[in-house]
Amino acid sequence: MKKTHPATGILLSVTRVNILLNFVCICIALSFSQCTQSKKNQEATTSSNRLDDLGSKVNVFLGTSGDHGQMSPSASSPFSMLSIGPQTTVHTHTGYEYYAKEFDGFTHTHLEGVGCTGSGGNILIKPILNKNVETTLLKSKQYASPGYYEVSFDNGITASMSVLDNFGVEYYTYPKDIADKGLFIDLSFALSNRFIAETHTIEENKISGWIDTYTTCHGGIYRIYYALQFSNFNAFEKLNEHQYYVSLKADSKSTEVKVGFSSVGVKYAEEKLKDSNIDSVKRASDQAWNSLFSRVTVQGETERENLFYSLLYRGLQAPYKISEGDSMYAAIDGSTKKADFTVYHGWAIWDNYREQLPMLSLLYPEKYKGIVKSIANLYRYGKKDWATKHEPSPTVRTEHAIAVLLDAYEKNYSLDLLSIKDSIIAEVNRLNFNSPDKALESSYDLYAASKIMSILKDDQLATQYRNKALEYKNYWEKDFADLSRDDVDRMQARGLYQGTIRQYRWFVPYDIQGLKNLIGGEAQFIKELDQFFEENNYNHANQPDLQVPGLYNATSQPWKSQKLFRNIMLDTVVQNYFNNNSKGIDPYVGRIYQNQPKAYLRTMDDDAGTMSSWFVLRSMGMSPANIGTPVYYLTAPIFEKVSIHFPNDKKFEIVVENYDKDHFYIQSATLNGKELNQNWLRHEDIVNGGELIITTSAVPNKNWGIENTFVTEFN
């Protein structure tokens, strides 16, 4: 029998215990490591999923009721002319009213948020029963997301649609107990009686051709080439010159309509009719939208995040990509050309040069390089302020394109300005100085033209344009200096377009120092700014004074702009002026930006993403100082963190310390670890990547942001 020494036995037992404990510890450590790694993987997956589903935060019904934005819930794709959505009775300028019950059908172009009773609304398709064109379509429920729209009707018909680029799919289902099911097609349908002419060809289950339509305000003409293909097709029956009834096979329960659009020709439209169903198109459209949404990630209150992405969505609708895969595109003189860049069209530059185009230039440089080249390219083929007779898509107007070109050049976008020099000169020679507002607006274009001529080494023209631009001081002294006259608060006084003398007098964004001098120095400048806002003379329903809340940034009191920006974005304001050229008898008191169908002020249009982009930039903590100068003023973001993920893998992060949702003011800031006392950054500071830390507070730090003040000056 084997004997064990008592002491040895104890040591063996302790050793076994230690081995066991070590084993347990190792297991725990491994388990913890695996758990930690699993948690990291889970967080990464969650973050990835969050980026892949930012479209779920978008409310496409924002601004779709009444004259509170003039937006549409249509299925659309980023920068795509094809936009398929509902046409209701009654409707707003995009053909839709959120609270309307009766639908006329579905149309295929929707120029978002513009005035003049709207634009687009081409090709009406209406699902009908028993060959009855008057079939009543009463909405029972609807759903929409970026790239997708669906609705159910009381009579059992359902409709859903999705778009990717200039290809779309519409899917209609019918009640089982109806024998005769079909579609009513009206090729002559357009908003505001703007249809001009169309030609079409029918081949088996397909109809294709072109349609000419007046642009916004009947300013010009655009032509769309289209192709429509129908599944479960039986026959076409001609109702009149432009209308058809499409009957379906007797046993059909549904039909799928494939739609192709082109600005170049019918062949291109037909080639877009892919072998895809609505589900695959929706998935691809979701991916396209989320790819753009994920360029900017914001972290904060859910309500604010949702509002941010809903408004960012509106800034990514136009302009439209019109060049084809083989680089062919339609120029505005009616010719067909080939480009070595992606060509865009569908302009509202007079409005969105202020906000939407600057937003795109900062956040989407890979898109903007084609956009700004497309703007320059207009000059080669007969650009007009409004539109030509050969526009390749729905469009509005292009004033201040010269300033956009200067702005892009200053932000290091590649442009061949020399090749369009003569056309720029011709546009300058057409500038209008016949009313007080046009005198200031035209002086701004002269400033930009002077800068461009300096870039092109034409010192003589640069000097000539500079001297002419500085004559704004004479116009200002004549019409804007004296505020004692009885018409200074009246809309359209003295021939003004959409504003008052008080509102337009601030429009010298390129020479704020000169404007200060005219008013009587900085102290008087601030005093009159204070009076302007205290008396509620500011009009956010339109753009003539859109830059005015930011003017305190060019003074020793930048904190006042920080407060104004936050008020306009999220808080109660008082607005007396409206877009019907009136000073309202009944002022508006409340929030302007609301995530609901009646989102904006009454009569306030989004103007192709202008007002949405205004919110997007300032909610991130930035506002352009002057279009033509690559500088952004800083304000307090409405989020705890904002991250811009640039295509070159660089990232710019804005982190808010001492965050509180009600903190309006910047207490201090650092840029890449260094104290930042100035209240502005250059474009290159942002696109080169880095970290901006902003400490906010409930009360203003009146000593921050007053060093190295950025004030535009032109002399």
Side-chain angles (χ1 to χ4, degrees):
M1 190 170 95
K2 188 174 180 182
K3 291 184 180 179
T4 304
H5 192 280
T8 305
I10 293 171
L11 288 173
L12 288 172
S13 298
V14 171
T15 301
R16 290 190 185 103
V17 170
N18 286 338
I19 292 172
L20 181 61
L21 287 173
N22 287 337
F23 178 75
V24 171
C25 288
I26 290 170
C27 288
I28 292 172
L30 285 172
S31 176
F32 179 77
S33 175
Q34 290 171 350
C35 179
T36 302
Q37 188 60 46
S38 175
K39 184 177 180 181
K40 288 180 179 178
N41 290 340
Q42 186 178 18
E43 288 174 348
T45 302
T46 301
S47 176
S48 176
N49 290 342
R50 186 175 183 272
L51 292 179
D52 291 342
D53 195 29
L54 290 174
S56 65
K57 293 182 172 292
V58 174
N59 174 16
V60 302
F61 293 107
L62 185 156
T64 60
S65 177
D67 199 349
H68 293 265
Q70 302 289 2
M71 303 178 197
S72 168
S74 299
S76 64
S77 185
F79 307 110
S80 173
M81 171 174 57
L82 178 62
S83 170
I84 310 175
Q87 177 77 24
T88 64
T89 302
V90 292
H91 62 259
T92 65
H93 296 180
T94 58
Y96 174 84
E97 161 58 50
Y98 179 81
Y99 293 103
K101 288 280 288 182
E102 185 170 353
F103 282 47
D104 299 324
F106 304 90
T107 57
H108 297 75
T109 53
H110 302 86
L111 187 50
E112 299 276 344
V114 299
C116 232
T117 64
S119 185
N122 293 105
I123 308 178
L124 178 76
I125 296 182
K126 178 181 181 180
I128 62 176
L129 304 175
N130 297 321
K131 202 178 173 180
N132 179 13
V133 173
E134 303 301 324
T135 297
T136 301
L137 299 176
L138 293 178
K139 172 182 66 181
S140 59
K141 61 180 179 179
Q142 65 181 344
Y143 167 80
S145 63
Y148 181 77
Y149 177 84
E150 70 175 39
V151 61
S152 300
F153 298 109
D154 287 349
N155 61 8
I157 294 176
T158 67
S160 55
M161 49 216 65
S162 191
V163 171
L164 180 66
D165 299 326
N166 274 332
F167 170 66
V169 176
E170 303 167 37
Y171 187 70
Y172 300 98
T173 66
Y174 298 83
K176 298 177 182 178
D177 57 346
I178 302 295
D180 197 342
K181 313 173 183 76
L183 298 167
F184 167 67
I185 312 294
D186 186 353
L187 300 174
S188 65
F189 193 91
L191 288 170
S192 301
N193 298 314
R194 295 210 166 102
F195 169 76
I196 299 173
E198 62 93 5
T199 64
H200 60 269
T201 301
I202 292 176
E203 183 180 355
E204 297 179 346
N205 66 335
K206 184 172 64 179
I207 184 168
S208 58
W210 56 258
I211 299 173
D212 281 352
T213 313
Y214 286 114
T215 61
T216 308
C217 302
H218 287 73
I221 299 171
Y222 66 90
R223 172 169 291 186
I224 294 173
Y225 296 91
Y226 71 92
L228 304 173
Q229 187 174 26
F230 306 89
S231 71
N232 294 327
F233 171 82
N234 179 47
F236 284 107
E237 181 180 335
K238 188 172 183 178
L239 303 179
N240 61 39
E241 185 180 357
H242 307 299
Q243 297 176 343
Y244 284 85
Y245 173 62
V246 179
S247 62
L248 305 181
K249 293 177 181 177
D251 58 349
S252 300
K253 298 178 182 177
S254 64
T255 183
E256 187 175 72
V257 184
K258 293 181 178 178
V259 186
F261 263 23
S262 174
S263 297
V264 180
V266 170
K267 176 176 72 75
Y268 291 96
E270 291 177 333
E271 289 173 352
K272 291 183 172 66
L273 301 179
K274 308 169 187 175
D275 185 19
S276 300
N277 59 32
I278 190 167
D279 292 331
S280 62
V281 173
K282 183 181 183 300
R283 284 194 298 271
S285 188
D286 284 345
Q287 185 176 0
W289 279 115
N290 279 307
S291 175
L292 294 186
F293 295 149
S294 62
R295 181 62 53 82
V296 186
T297 53
V298 296
Q299 298 175 26
E301 284 74 24
T302 299
E303 176 190 352
R304 293 184 181 183
E305 289 185 9
N306 293 346
L307 182 57
F308 175 86
Y309 286 108
S310 296
L311 295 174
L312 178 59
Y313 168 71
R314 292 300 170 184
L316 302 176
Q317 302 282 335
Y320 312 125
K321 178 187 171 186
I322 62 164
S323 53
E324 297 292 347
D326 60 1
S327 301
M328 300 302 293
Y329 73 96
I332 59 172
D333 65 351
S335 64
T336 301
K337 304 292 182 182
K338 191 168 187 175
D340 59 359
F341 60 94
T342 302
V343 182
Y344 293 83
H345 194 262
W347 308 112
I349 298 175
W350 187 80
D351 293 310
N352 60 23
Y353 86 92
R354 308 167 191 261
E355 301 294 340
Q356 189 242 7
L357 292 178
M359 182 194 76
L360 296 178
S361 76
L362 177 64
L363 302 182
Y364 302 97
E366 78 284 9
K367 306 287 186 187
Y368 197 67
K369 64 183 180 181
I371 290 171
V372 74
K373 283 185 176 181
S374 300
I375 294 173
N377 198 49
L378 295 173
Y379 285 90
R380 303 177 192 275
Y381 301 106
K383 172 188 172 297
K384 292 186 176 181
D385 284 348
W386 280 79
T388 71
K389 302 299 183 184
H390 302 283
E391 300 292 333
S393 77
T395 193
V396 189
R397 55 196 302 185
T398 61
E399 293 99 322
H400 296 318
I402 300 175
V404 173
L405 297 180
L406 172 63
D407 192 65
Y409 178 87
E410 295 290 348
K411 292 173 179 175
N412 294 318
Y413 283 94
S414 176
L415 288 171
D416 180 8
L417 295 173
L418 183 59
S419 67
I420 59 172
K421 177 182 176 182
D422 289 345
S423 297
I424 291 175
I425 293 171
E427 181 163 283
V428 169
N429 291 337
R430 295 193 300 268
L431 290 174
N432 187 335
F433 295 82
N434 291 339
S435 61
D437 56 329
K438 288 179 179 177
L440 295 187
E441 297 271 358
S442 295
S443 297
Y444 180 46
D445 283 338
L446 280 164
Y447 142 79
S450 173
K451 290 284 191 179
I452 286 176
M453 293 305 150
S454 292
I455 292 166
L456 297 177
K457 309 299 183 185
D458 189 330
D459 295 337
Q460 180 180 351
L461 272 182
T463 300
Q464 178 183 329
Y465 291 165
R466 183 182 69 247
N467 292 339
K468 180 65 175 173
L470 289 172
E471 289 179 12
Y472 84 84
K473 297 177 181 180
N474 299 330
Y475 294 110
W476 197 92
E477 290 278 13
K478 174 179 176 290
D479 276 301
F480 297 103
D482 183 4
L483 294 178
S484 66
R485 294 173 64 177
D486 61 5
D487 65 349
V488 296
D489 293 331
R490 192 168 72 239
M491 301 289 280
Q492 296 188 301
R494 305 180 213 174
L496 300 179
Y497 177 48
Q498 287 183 327
T500 67
I501 292 293
R502 285 190 182 275
Q503 290 159 3
Y504 269 109
R505 73 194 298 259
W506 304 101
F507 189 77
V508 194
Y510 57 94
D511 190 21
I512 296 303
Q513 185 57 54
L515 182 59
K516 284 184 182 180
N517 296 339
L518 284 172
I519 288 177
E522 173 151 319
Q524 186 64 24
F525 183 82
I526 292 174
K527 180 180 178 181
E528 294 190 16
L529 266 181
D530 289 344
Q531 180 184 9
F532 181 73
F533 287 104
E534 287 167 2
E535 295 178 354
N536 299 311
N537 288 309
Y538 173 64
N539 178 13
H540 201 73
N542 213 331
Q543 289 91 27
D545 57 351
L546 196 61
Q547 84 287 354
V548 183
L551 288 182
Y552 288 107
N553 283 308
T555 74
S556 59
Q557 298 181 5
W559 55 273
K560 289 184 177 178
S561 282
Q562 296 163 28
K563 180 66 162 61
L564 280 169
F565 286 154
R566 183 63 64 93
N567 284 354
I568 296 168
M569 281 190 286
L570 295 173
D571 297 329
T572 296
V573 298
V574 177
Q575 290 281 282
N576 285 318
Y577 291 92
F578 302 94
N579 216 2
N580 56 358
N581 298 315
S582 70
K583 184 173 184 178
I585 297 172
D586 179 21
Y588 173 80
V589 181
R591 277 183 59 170
I592 296 176
Y593 290 93
Q594 302 180 80
N595 200 353
Q596 61 187 33
K598 291 187 177 181
Y600 292 165
L601 301 167
R602 63 181 183 270
T603 77
M604 176 176 162
D605 298 338
D606 190 40
D607 283 322
T610 303
M611 307 310 286
S612 293
S613 300
W614 185 96
F615 180 98
V616 167
L617 284 171
R618 283 151 192 80
S619 71
M620 296 166 59
M622 292 176 281
S623 64
N626 168 53
I627 310 309
T629 307
V631 168
Y632 304 87
Y633 287 121
L634 299 178
T635 191
I638 66 172
F639 305 105
E640 290 187 70
K641 186 176 181 180
V642 176
S643 301
I644 308 173
H645 311 270
F646 291 109
N648 58 5
D649 293 329
K650 291 184 178 181
K651 181 168 68 171
F652 188 78
E653 287 194 334
I654 305 170
V655 179
V656 178
E657 293 188 346
N658 193 36
Y659 175 81
D660 185 286
K661 67 182 182 66
D662 295 323
H663 282 181
F664 298 167
Y665 304 108
I666 299 178
Q667 184 69 25
S668 61
T670 63
L671 178 64
N672 300 326
K674 296 181 180 179
E675 187 175 0
L676 182 71
N677 288 316
Q678 66 188 39
N679 69 327
W680 55 275
L681 294 177
R682 293 195 176 275
H683 184 79
E684 63 186 27
D685 296 328
I686 301 169
V687 299
N688 287 336
E691 182 182 56
L692 173 66
I693 298 177
I694 295 176
T695 302
T696 59
S697 63
V699 295
N701 177 359
K702 297 182 180 181
N703 295 316
W704 185 85
I706 61 174
E707 295 182 16
N708 191 26
T709 303
F710 184 84
V711 185
T712 57
E713 187 169 10
F714 188 60
N715 52 38

